[in-house]
Amino acid sequence: MNGPHDLGGQHGLGPVAPELNEPYFHGDWEKRALGVTLSCGAFGAWTIDESRHARENIPPATYLSASYYEIWIRALETLLQRHGFVSGEELAEGRMLEKGAAPKRVLKADMVPAVLAKGGPCDRPVEAAPRFSAGAHVRTRNFNPTTHTRLPRYARDKVGVVETVQGSFVFPDDNAHGKGESPQWVYTVVFDGGEIWGEGAAPGLTVSIDAWESYLEPV
């Protein structure tokens, strides 16, 4: 979707200004936000792609004025309500009013190191051979879905060159909406800066994205 998260090429937001010697967390509540979000994700009720889409659906004015972990918590509230773990009334009052859905799994403290070390691999086998190979010229699709996608607006309807076939992975556009993993080949595609940004692009600039196969058409 063309939400507030998709900021590439947008004007008026100022330069990217990384914080020098930035700490992992700016307050104890951020630690809790991370812990609660990961613990709830372990329930097994939603995928990482659904959680990303929940963040993308935060209203733009709220999203753009929120901090990183505030965005996480606002999206988590949506997911917990959607899947029946809490109600809006319970969130407003800050306490349980009735029994909610039962999680498939519960992440306990002694399990955390192993679970984090394992991660959540999303590579999957695909029977068909890759449609494109390194050096192929491709054009990205020009679409504006209201659903989740990993193809940013600035890279749509652009011609680039396949640099690498990365492997086959879960297709997030389907996985975010309960349509299954639908794995596809993923390619690193390199675009000339002028193709992306037009006149005034810095000489020699290139932009690379990882693109699922269904985002691409041959040129």
Side-chain angles (χ1 to χ4, degrees):
M1 62 178 295
N2 297 337
H5 64 291
D6 195 356
L7 297 177
Q10 299 299 301
H11 292 156
L13 296 170
V16 176
E19 182 178 343
L20 187 64
N21 300 318
E22 183 178 11
Y24 290 117
F25 303 101
H26 293 82
D28 286 342
W29 77 269
E30 292 189 343
K31 298 179 184 180
R32 292 185 61 82
L34 174 61
V36 170
T37 301
L38 294 180
S39 296
C40 292
F43 287 175
W46 55 80
T47 65
I48 188 172
D49 299 305
E50 184 181 353
S51 69
R52 285 176 173 145
H53 189 54
R55 296 169 196 165
E56 296 164 0
N57 271 287
I58 296 172
T62 301
Y63 187 103
L64 294 173
S65 63
S67 67
Y68 181 76
Y69 282 110
E70 184 181 348
I71 291 171
W72 277 39
I73 288 297
R74 287 183 178 275
L76 180 60
E77 291 176 350
T78 296
L79 293 166
L80 290 170
Q81 289 184 78
R82 179 184 297 165
H83 293 277
F85 293 105
V86 298
S87 66
E89 293 76 15
E90 288 173 316
L91 288 173
E93 294 198 21
R95 63 189 180 92
M96 186 177 75
L97 300 176
E98 59 184 9
K99 187 176 181 180
K104 298 176 184 178
R105 299 183 297 271
V106 174
L107 182 63
K108 298 182 179 180
D110 60 350
M111 300 164 56
V112 170
V115 169
L116 293 182
K118 181 181 178 181
C122 57
D123 53 317
R124 301 289 188 272
V126 173
E127 292 185 3
R131 185 181 182 190
F132 306 104
S133 58
H137 286 71
V138 293
R139 181 186 297 276
T140 53
R141 292 173 57 197
N142 186 11
F143 62 171
N144 292 280
T146 57
T147 50
H148 182 62
T149 185
R150 298 299 294 276
L151 181 61
R153 277 177 291 181
Y154 67 80
R156 296 175 193 164
D157 195 27
K158 305 296 183 182
V159 174
V161 179
V162 173
E163 181 179 69
T164 307
V165 182
Q166 293 287 4
S168 50
F169 297 86
V170 172
F171 184 47
D173 303 41
D174 282 354
N175 201 41
H177 303 285
K179 298 180 180 180
E181 294 188 335
S182 311
Q184 297 183 12
W185 292 101
V186 174
Y187 307 85
T188 296
V189 182
V190 181
F191 303 89
D192 180 78
E195 177 71 9
I196 295 291
W197 306 123
E199 296 181 13
L205 174 70
T206 60
V207 177
S208 300
I209 69 168
D210 286 337
W212 274 259
E213 190 167 82
S214 62
Y215 296 165
L216 305 174
E217 300 170 346
V219 172

